Amino acid sequence: MRTHGKYKIHFFLSALILFSIAVSFSGCGAPQFRSPMFQYNDYTTWGPNALTWNGRDLIMGDRNLVMEINFIDTERYIAVDFLNEVEGYFRYSRDPYSISSVKNLNISGLAWEGESASKGYLWVADSNNRQIVKLGNNYEVIQQFDSPAEFPRGLAYDGANLWVADAKNAKIYKISAADGSVIGEYQSPIKTPVGIAWDCEGLWILGMDTCKTVTSSCYTPALIKLDVKSGKIALESSLPGQITRPSAIAWVDGILWISDSHTNRVFKISA
């Protein structure tokens, strides 16, 4: 009987240790929130296709739909198994809006021009029509021109000019916000760029790189900061393991918001 009781004590202590490890490890989960862009009954492998910040709100885009949210509280999780338990919190700054003024619009990049949410313009990269579109405060079309990128994916505004990534040809273009003319062209250090963001000093590029394996279908998430003066990599950063299919990026005061299309989540990462 004493031996049996001894085993019980050992089992209890082992279980307590494992529980303590699990609790302490859970604090290391990546901060994130579940995007409202898709519901549970929607396509499970889709997520926000574009992100930007207007000085007050995080703006998300996908298809022809735009959502503006604020008061964001993130939650942490370790693995995909916990996805249904950690939603995070936010509120809409205004109702989601479907942009119908641009036929066959597919939002593949967003950028904000302006000092505040009420005084500015929303730039949109449209991969279906291969165009860059400028929208007013009520999402009315103000300007549009052809994109130099064959498959525009990701958009950024540096205070004077626009930057657009080409996911097909691994190019990054600097273009005039006045007429879309090409000012500069860079080879993307990432094979498939899917999002870009300007941080007042350089350009962050998010995407997928090929793995060092013999299989052509092997890809790995990648994040770098490009020195636009030299065209060389200024910083290479790793991503949380929960991000397997990055889809968009926004820079906000030293914080990178990165969306994942596999989980329909938006992650908060220190730049």
Side-chain angles (χ1 to χ4, degrees), residues 174-224:
K174 180 180 181 180
I175 61 176
S176 167
D179 57 12
S181 57
V182 176
I183 299 173
E185 180 180 330
Y186 302 78
Q187 185 68 36
S188 172
I190 297 176
K191 183 176 179 62
T192 307
V194 298
I196 55 177
W198 180 258
D199 71 355
C200 300
E201 295 179 350
L203 193 71
W204 288 91
I205 304 174
L206 176 74
M208 302 293 288
D209 258 339
T210 52
C211 302
K212 295 180 180 179
T213 65
V214 295
T215 58
S216 60
S217 60
C218 180
Y219 291 90
T220 182
L223 173 64
I224 66 100

Side-chain angles (χ1 to χ4, degrees), residues 11 47 104 243 253:
F11 177 80
N104 297 323
I243 300 177
D253 298 329

Side-chain angles (χ1 to χ4, degrees), residues 132 145-149 154-166 171-187 196 198 201 203 226-229:
I132 307 297
F145 46 75
D146 291 337
S147 165
L155 196 63
Y157 181 72
D158 66 7
N161 300 293
L162 291 164
W163 297 77
V164 60
D166 189 338
K171 296 284 187 180
I172 306 293
Y173 294 96
K174 180 180 181 180
I175 61 176
S176 167
D179 57 12
S181 57
V182 176
I183 299 173
E185 180 180 330
Y186 302 78
Q187 185 68 36
I196 55 177
W198 180 258
E201 295 179 350
L203 193 71
L226 183 71
D227 182 342
V228 296
K229 292 182 180 179

Side-chain angles (χ1 to χ4, degrees), residues 40-107:
Y40 287 109
N41 58 343
D42 287 326
Y43 296 95
T44 57
T45 56
W46 284 14
N49 211 28
L51 295 173
T52 193
W53 177 258
N54 68 5
R56 182 191 66 191
D57 311 314
L58 186 65
I59 307 177
M60 296 181 289
D62 201 295
R63 299 152 292 175
N64 72 339
L65 186 64
V66 173
M67 294 181 176
E68 300 181 18
I69 63 172
N70 53 30
F71 289 92
I72 301 169
D73 285 332
T74 57
E75 295 283 357
R76 292 178 179 269
Y77 78 98
I78 300 172
V80 176
D81 296 340
F82 295 89
L83 285 180
N84 292 336
E85 301 174 17
V86 284
E87 296 295 306
Y89 169 82
F90 57 85
R91 78 179 188 187
Y92 291 103
S93 63
R94 59 177 172 177
D95 292 336
Y97 189 86
S98 295
I99 301 172
S100 57
S101 54
V102 181
K103 189 176 180 180
N104 297 323
L105 173 67
N106 185 58
I107 298 173

